[in-house]
Amino acid sequence: MSFFSDMNAAADRNNSLVCVGLDPDFRKLPECVKGAAKPFFEFNKAIVDATRDLVSCYKPQAAYYAGCGREDELLATIEYIHENAPGVPVILDVKRGDIGSTAEQYAREAFERYNADAVTVNPYMGYDTLKPFLDYADKGVIILCRTSNPNSGDLQSLVCDGLPIYKHVAKLVRDKWNANGNAAIVVGATYPEELQELRQLCPELPFLVPGVGAQGGDVEKVVRFGCTADGKGLMINSSRGIIFAGKDDDFAEASRKAAMALRDQINSFRK
């Protein structure tokens, strides 16, 4: 099975386009897990148990673990998802992008050390930096295109040969970089008009869409502008809006309610 076939199967099974970002911040963790030997893992475990029937995938951001020396809890989280939410794939959000020999090691890290099902990568240095990831044909490679952060346009909106850079990236993914059918692009919910343009440009390419929830992206526009013709094609990510929906002992129940609310809101706009 490939990442995208697993993701689509989970989306169909759970009737969901929701991707939950597992980005634990110790300062925001409920007191009931802070004292655990592995607080990030215990927190994530509870979130996964509460939401695994409501999502199409999970997306841990590696920096939240590596920044405080908790890579073992990242690995434990991914292993737990594979064992206890079978068929729900994991995107490792690392946004890697370096020369080919270094990229080979980053690809090994993502797909062999962590056994992630997909990874996020940065295309700024060109195809040779992406090829080591794309060569893992059964893994997803999700390429930054039009990102959700406020200053993404500093580079992504620069015009070259009549098109903004982000459209050049999308065309390269569509026409040259997706030989194995395992590529997707990141398109922020905070830029719905650009999302609509990119869907017209890439009618079948999967999009990872961050920026709903805490970043304020418009869910209706994301769904109406971003879905493929069959009402799929999106992994709509919410991190803080789901995992920190509650602060007390019932935080997992609160996360379930938030994930269900987002799933139902998305589905209300799907064709």
Side-chain angles (χ1 to χ4, degrees):
M1 296 288 282
S2 70
F3 167 74
F4 291 115
S5 61
D6 284 346
M7 185 272 294
N8 285 323
D12 289 342
R13 184 170 62 251
N14 294 337
N15 191 26
S16 178
L17 302 180
V18 174
C19 171
V20 172
L22 297 172
D23 304 347
D25 181 335
F26 190 83
R27 297 166 297 181
K28 297 180 181 179
L29 294 185
E31 292 299 325
C32 60
V33 300
K34 281 186 174 181
K38 294 185 176 181
F40 285 16
F41 173 66
E42 293 300 328
F43 178 74
N44 290 341
K45 176 176 177 290
I47 298 293
V48 170
D49 288 345
T51 61
R52 59 191 171 196
D53 62 331
L54 300 172
V55 304
S56 64
C57 51
Y58 289 102
K59 184 180 72 64
Q61 165 53 257
Y64 282 92
Y65 305 84
C68 54
R70 296 185 183 274
E71 292 95 333
D72 60 328
E73 297 186 58
L74 172 59
L75 178 58
T77 294
I78 295 172
E79 290 176 343
Y80 186 83
I81 294 169
H82 286 156
E83 292 172 4
N84 294 276
V88 178
V90 179
I91 302 166
L92 183 62
D93 192 358
V94 287
K95 301 180 178 70
R96 299 298 194 198
D98 209 328
I99 63 171
S101 58
T102 306
E104 289 177 6
Q105 301 307 312
Y106 280 139
R108 287 184 60 196
E109 174 194 42
F111 297 138
E112 297 181 31
R113 178 187 178 191
Y114 288 115
N115 196 27
D117 304 291
V119 67
T120 58
V121 295
N122 189 328
Y124 186 80
M125 292 176 65
Y127 174 69
D128 58 305
T129 71
L130 306 180
K131 186 177 183 298
F133 299 93
L134 292 163
D135 283 346
Y136 285 80
D138 61 332
K139 302 290 189 176
V141 182
I142 306 175
I143 300 165
L144 299 182
C145 182
R146 184 64 168 110
T147 59
S148 61
N149 57 301
N151 295 122
S152 60
D154 289 354
L155 293 178
Q156 294 167 15
S157 294
L158 293 177
V159 175
C160 175
D161 293 334
L163 290 177
I165 294 296
Y166 68 85
K167 287 190 178 180
H168 284 286
V169 171
K171 289 178 66 178
L172 284 167
V173 177
R174 183 194 67 188
D175 299 336
K176 296 184 177 182
W177 295 349
N178 197 24
N180 289 326
N182 61 338
I185 59 175
V186 176
V187 187
T190 46
Y191 298 102
E193 288 75 20
E194 287 92 331
L195 188 150
Q196 184 177 33
E197 293 171 355
L198 288 166
R199 177 51 74 205
Q200 293 169 350
L201 193 65
C202 305
E204 298 181 359
L205 202 66
F207 293 177
L208 172 63
V209 184
V212 303
Q215 294 186 59
D218 187 311
V219 173
E220 180 176 4
K221 288 182 178 179
V222 166
V223 176
R224 293 198 186 283
F225 294 166
C227 276
T228 51
D230 59 0
K232 300 179 183 179
L234 297 177
M235 298 162 276
I236 301 176
N237 182 79
S238 177
S239 301
R240 289 168 287 173
I242 290 176
I243 67 173
F244 296 129
K247 300 179 180 180
D248 301 316
D249 291 0
D250 63 347
F251 71 93
E253 180 181 349
S255 75
R256 178 175 179 80
K257 290 179 180 177
M260 185 177 296
L262 179 58
R263 182 197 65 174
D264 293 348
Q265 182 183 17
I266 291 168
N267 287 345
S268 71
F269 302 122
R270 291 172 72 186
K271 293 181 181 179

mmCIF file of all heavy atoms in Angstrom, residues 186-210:
data_model
loop_
_atom_site.group_PDB
_atom_site.id
_atom_site.type_symbol
_atom_site.label_atom_id
_atom_site.label_comp_id
_atom_site.label_asym_id
_atom_site.label_seq_id
_atom_site.Cartn_x
_atom_site.Cartn_y
_atom_site.Cartn_z
ATOM 1 N N VAL A 186 1.823 21.520 -0.445
ATOM 2 C CA VAL A 186 1.267 22.248 0.700
ATOM 3 C C VAL A 186 0.673 23.551 0.195
ATOM 4 O O VAL A 186 1.362 24.340 -0.473
ATOM 5 C CB VAL A 186 2.350 22.546 1.749
ATOM 6 C CG1 VAL A 186 1.767 23.395 2.888
ATOM 7 C CG2 VAL A 186 2.947 21.260 2.302
ATOM 8 N N VAL A 187 -0.596 23.774 0.518
ATOM 9 C CA VAL A 187 -1.287 25.004 0.125
ATOM 10 C C VAL A 187 -2.043 25.516 1.348
ATOM 11 O O VAL A 187 -2.918 24.840 1.869
ATOM 12 C CB VAL A 187 -2.274 24.769 -1.041
ATOM 13 C CG1 VAL A 187 -2.836 26.103 -1.519
ATOM 14 C CG2 VAL A 187 -1.608 24.024 -2.189
ATOM 15 N N GLY A 188 -1.712 26.711 1.807
ATOM 16 C CA GLY A 188 -2.289 27.222 3.037
ATOM 17 C C GLY A 188 -3.745 27.632 2.917
ATOM 18 O O GLY A 188 -4.158 28.253 1.929
ATOM 19 N N ALA A 189 -4.505 27.316 3.952
ATOM 20 C CA ALA A 189 -5.911 27.713 4.012
ATOM 21 C C ALA A 189 -6.072 29.222 4.089
ATOM 22 O O ALA A 189 -7.147 29.752 3.784
ATOM 23 C CB ALA A 189 -6.574 27.065 5.223
ATOM 24 N N THR A 190 -5.017 29.906 4.475
ATOM 25 C CA THR A 190 -5.070 31.361 4.623
ATOM 26 C C THR A 190 -5.011 32.089 3.285
ATOM 27 O O THR A 190 -5.118 33.320 3.247
ATOM 28 C CB THR A 190 -3.923 31.826 5.521
ATOM 29 O OG1 THR A 190 -2.703 31.182 5.101
ATOM 30 C CG2 THR A 190 -4.196 31.449 6.978
ATOM 31 N N TYR A 191 -4.839 31.361 2.189
ATOM 32 C CA TYR A 191 -4.798 31.954 0.854
ATOM 33 C C TYR A 191 -5.778 31.214 -0.064
ATOM 34 O O TYR A 191 -5.383 30.502 -0.995
ATOM 35 C CB TYR A 191 -3.373 31.904 0.290
ATOM 36 C CG TYR A 191 -2.402 32.696 1.130
ATOM 37 C CD1 TYR A 191 -1.530 32.064 2.015
ATOM 38 C CD2 TYR A 191 -2.378 34.093 1.076
ATOM 39 C CE1 TYR A 191 -0.662 32.788 2.808
ATOM 40 C CE2 TYR A 191 -1.509 34.830 1.866
ATOM 41 C CZ TYR A 191 -0.652 34.171 2.733
ATOM 42 O OH TYR A 191 0.203 34.897 3.537
ATOM 43 N N PRO A 192 -7.084 31.376 0.174
ATOM 44 C CA PRO A 192 -8.073 30.568 -0.561
ATOM 45 C C PRO A 192 -8.106 30.837 -2.063
ATOM 46 O O PRO A 192 -8.371 29.912 -2.846
ATOM 47 C CB PRO A 192 -9.398 30.936 0.108
ATOM 48 C CG PRO A 192 -9.155 32.261 0.766
ATOM 49 C CD PRO A 192 -7.724 32.239 1.184
ATOM 50 N N GLU A 193 -7.851 32.071 -2.472
ATOM 51 C CA GLU A 193 -7.884 32.347 -3.909
ATOM 52 C C GLU A 193 -6.752 31.611 -4.627
ATOM 53 O O GLU A 193 -6.934 31.041 -5.705
ATOM 54 C CB GLU A 193 -7.790 33.859 -4.169
ATOM 55 C CG GLU A 193 -9.045 34.632 -3.795
ATOM 56 C CD GLU A 193 -9.221 34.820 -2.292
ATOM 57 O OE1 GLU A 193 -8.207 34.706 -1.547
ATOM 58 O OE2 GLU A 193 -10.350 35.075 -1.854
ATOM 59 N N GLU A 194 -5.569 31.621 -4.002
ATOM 60 C CA GLU A 194 -4.453 30.898 -4.593
ATOM 61 C C GLU A 194 -4.713 29.394 -4.574
ATOM 62 O O GLU A 194 -4.360 28.676 -5.508
ATOM 63 C CB GLU A 194 -3.158 31.218 -3.839
ATOM 64 C CG GLU A 194 -2.613 32.598 -4.101
ATOM 65 C CD GLU A 194 -3.103 33.633 -3.091
ATOM 66 O OE1 GLU A 194 -4.229 33.462 -2.564
ATOM 67 O OE2 GLU A 194 -2.363 34.589 -2.830
ATOM 68 N N LEU A 195 -5.375 28.919 -3.523
ATOM 69 C CA LEU A 195 -5.733 27.509 -3.451
ATOM 70 C C LEU A 195 -6.640 27.137 -4.624
ATOM 71 O O LEU A 195 -6.454 26.093 -5.263
ATOM 72 C CB LEU A 195 -6.416 27.216 -2.124
ATOM 73 C CG LEU A 195 -6.711 25.752 -1.782
ATOM 74 C CD1 LEU A 195 -6.682 25.545 -0.267
ATOM 75 C CD2 LEU A 195 -8.057 25.313 -2.314
ATOM 76 N N GLN A 196 -7.604 27.995 -4.926
ATOM 77 C CA GLN A 196 -8.504 27.742 -6.055
ATOM 78 C C GLN A 196 -7.728 27.706 -7.379
ATOM 79 O O GLN A 196 -7.952 26.820 -8.221
ATOM 80 C CB GLN A 196 -9.576 28.820 -6.113
ATOM 81 C CG GLN A 196 -10.617 28.602 -7.200
ATOM 82 C CD GLN A 196 -11.703 29.666 -7.176
ATOM 83 O OE1 GLN A 196 -11.441 30.822 -6.828
ATOM 84 N NE2 GLN A 196 -12.914 29.286 -7.536
ATOM 85 N N GLU A 197 -6.795 28.644 -7.545
ATOM 86 C CA GLU A 197 -5.997 28.667 -8.760
ATOM 87 C C GLU A 197 -5.138 27.408 -8.893
ATOM 88 O O GLU A 197 -4.994 26.845 -9.989
ATOM 89 C CB GLU A 197 -5.094 29.906 -8.754
ATOM 90 C CG GLU A 197 -5.855 31.224 -8.854
ATOM 91 C CD GLU A 197 -4.946 32.416 -8.632
ATOM 92 O OE1 GLU A 197 -3.757 32.205 -8.306
ATOM 93 O OE2 GLU A 197 -5.419 33.554 -8.777
ATOM 94 N N LEU A 198 -4.589 26.959 -7.769
ATOM 95 C CA LEU A 198 -3.747 25.768 -7.803
ATOM 96 C C LEU A 198 -4.562 24.509 -8.070
ATOM 97 O O LEU A 198 -4.080 23.593 -8.755
ATOM 98 C CB LEU A 198 -2.964 25.647 -6.493
ATOM 99 C CG LEU A 198 -1.837 26.665 -6.347
ATOM 100 C CD1 LEU A 198 -1.325 26.715 -4.914
ATOM 101 C CD2 LEU A 198 -0.689 26.351 -7.310
ATOM 102 N N ARG A 199 -5.782 24.457 -7.585
ATOM 103 C CA ARG A 199 -6.625 23.297 -7.907
ATOM 104 C C ARG A 199 -6.954 23.274 -9.385
ATOM 105 O O ARG A 199 -6.985 22.204 -10.008
ATOM 106 C CB ARG A 199 -7.905 23.319 -7.053
ATOM 107 C CG ARG A 199 -8.874 22.195 -7.353
ATOM 108 C CD ARG A 199 -8.205 20.820 -7.329
ATOM 109 N NE ARG A 199 -7.885 20.358 -5.985
ATOM 110 C CZ ARG A 199 -6.924 19.484 -5.708
ATOM 111 N NH1 ARG A 199 -6.162 18.991 -6.686
ATOM 112 N NH2 ARG A 199 -6.696 19.113 -4.463
ATOM 113 N N GLN A 200 -7.186 24.436 -9.987
ATOM 114 C CA GLN A 200 -7.434 24.486 -11.423
ATOM 115 C C GLN A 200 -6.192 24.057 -12.202
ATOM 116 O O GLN A 200 -6.290 23.378 -13.230
ATOM 117 C CB GLN A 200 -7.867 25.901 -11.822
ATOM 118 C CG GLN A 200 -9.224 26.294 -11.260
ATOM 119 C CD GLN A 200 -9.523 27.780 -11.423
ATOM 120 O OE1 GLN A 200 -8.661 28.573 -11.797
ATOM 121 N NE2 GLN A 200 -10.761 28.170 -11.126
ATOM 122 N N LEU A 201 -5.027 24.419 -11.677
ATOM 123 C CA LEU A 201 -3.767 24.073 -12.330
ATOM 124 C C LEU A 201 -3.429 22.591 -12.151
ATOM 125 O O LEU A 201 -2.857 21.965 -13.055
ATOM 126 C CB LEU A 201 -2.653 24.943 -11.740
ATOM 127 C CG LEU A 201 -1.305 24.982 -12.450
ATOM 128 C CD1 LEU A 201 -1.435 25.624 -13.828
ATOM 129 C CD2 LEU A 201 -0.294 25.762 -11.605
ATOM 130 N N CYS A 202 -3.796 22.053 -10.994
ATOM 131 C CA CYS A 202 -3.462 20.655 -10.647
ATOM 132 C C CYS A 202 -4.732 19.944 -10.192
ATOM 133 O O CYS A 202 -4.954 19.756 -8.988
ATOM 134 C CB CYS A 202 -2.413 20.621 -9.540
ATOM 135 S SG CYS A 202 -0.909 21.534 -9.885
ATOM 136 N N PRO A 203 -5.598 19.558 -11.102
ATOM 137 C CA PRO A 203 -6.926 19.062 -10.733
ATOM 138 C C PRO A 203 -6.933 17.765 -9.935
ATOM 139 O O PRO A 203 -7.923 17.480 -9.256
ATOM 140 C CB PRO A 203 -7.642 18.883 -12.077
ATOM 141 C CG PRO A 203 -6.558 18.827 -13.093
ATOM 142 C CD PRO A 203 -5.441 19.658 -12.574
ATOM 143 N N GLU A 204 -5.855 16.990 -9.994
ATOM 144 C CA GLU A 204 -5.859 15.697 -9.308
ATOM 145 C C GLU A 204 -4.822 15.590 -8.199
ATOM 146 O O GLU A 204 -4.807 14.606 -7.455
ATOM 147 C CB GLU A 204 -5.631 14.574 -10.323
ATOM 148 C CG GLU A 204 -6.730 14.486 -11.379
ATOM 149 C CD GLU A 204 -6.493 13.357 -12.359
ATOM 150 O OE1 GLU A 204 -5.468 12.662 -12.238
ATOM 151 O OE2 GLU A 204 -7.337 13.171 -13.261
ATOM 152 N N LEU A 205 -3.960 16.560 -8.057
ATOM 153 C CA LEU A 205 -2.869 16.474 -7.086
ATOM 154 C C LEU A 205 -3.397 16.631 -5.660
ATOM 155 O O LEU A 205 -4.202 17.524 -5.395
ATOM 156 C CB LEU A 205 -1.851 17.573 -7.375
ATOM 157 C CG LEU A 205 -0.427 17.380 -6.857
ATOM 158 C CD1 LEU A 205 0.239 16.202 -7.554
ATOM 159 C CD2 LEU A 205 0.377 18.657 -7.087
ATOM 160 N N PRO A 206 -2.985 15.786 -4.723
ATOM 161 C CA PRO A 206 -3.407 15.964 -3.332
ATOM 162 C C PRO A 206 -2.779 17.221 -2.721
ATOM 163 O O PRO A 206 -1.626 17.554 -3.017
ATOM 164 C CB PRO A 206 -2.896 14.700 -2.629
ATOM 165 C CG PRO A 206 -2.641 13.713 -3.725
ATOM 166 C CD PRO A 206 -2.224 14.526 -4.908
ATOM 167 N N PHE A 207 -3.548 17.896 -1.873
ATOM 168 C CA PHE A 207 -3.073 19.084 -1.167
ATOM 169 C C PHE A 207 -3.093 18.824 0.333
ATOM 170 O O PHE A 207 -4.105 18.358 0.878
ATOM 171 C CB PHE A 207 -3.979 20.287 -1.425
ATOM 172 C CG PHE A 207 -3.993 20.836 -2.825
ATOM 173 C CD1 PHE A 207 -4.851 21.890 -3.135
ATOM 174 C CD2 PHE A 207 -3.188 20.316 -3.831
ATOM 175 C CE1 PHE A 207 -4.884 22.421 -4.414
ATOM 176 C CE2 PHE A 207 -3.223 20.833 -5.126
ATOM 177 C CZ PHE A 207 -4.072 21.897 -5.416
ATOM 178 N N LEU A 208 -2.002 19.160 1.004
ATOM 179 C CA LEU A 208 -2.006 19.275 2.460
ATOM 180 C C LEU A 208 -2.285 20.734 2.778
ATOM 181 O O LEU A 208 -1.550 21.623 2.326
ATOM 182 C CB LEU A 208 -0.659 18.846 3.042
ATOM 183 C CG LEU A 208 -0.463 19.093 4.547
ATOM 184 C CD1 LEU A 208 -1.449 18.298 5.386
ATOM 185 C CD2 LEU A 208 0.975 18.775 4.958
ATOM 186 N N VAL A 209 -3.339 20.980 3.558
ATOM 187 C CA VAL A 209 -3.804 22.345 3.790
ATOM 188 C C VAL A 209 -3.717 22.687 5.277
ATOM 189 O O VAL A 209 -4.613 22.346 6.063
ATOM 190 C CB VAL A 209 -5.244 22.538 3.283
ATOM 191 C CG1 VAL A 209 -5.673 23.994 3.433
ATOM 192 C CG2 VAL A 209 -5.368 22.106 1.827
ATOM 193 N N PRO A 210 -2.642 23.356 5.687
ATOM 194 C CA PRO A 210 -2.596 23.889 7.047
ATOM 195 C C PRO A 210 -3.278 25.253 7.097
ATOM 196 O O PRO A 210 -3.566 25.848 6.053
ATOM 197 C CB PRO A 210 -1.088 24.037 7.294
ATOM 198 C CG PRO A 210 -0.551 24.373 5.932
ATOM 199 C CD PRO A 210 -1.411 23.612 4.935
#
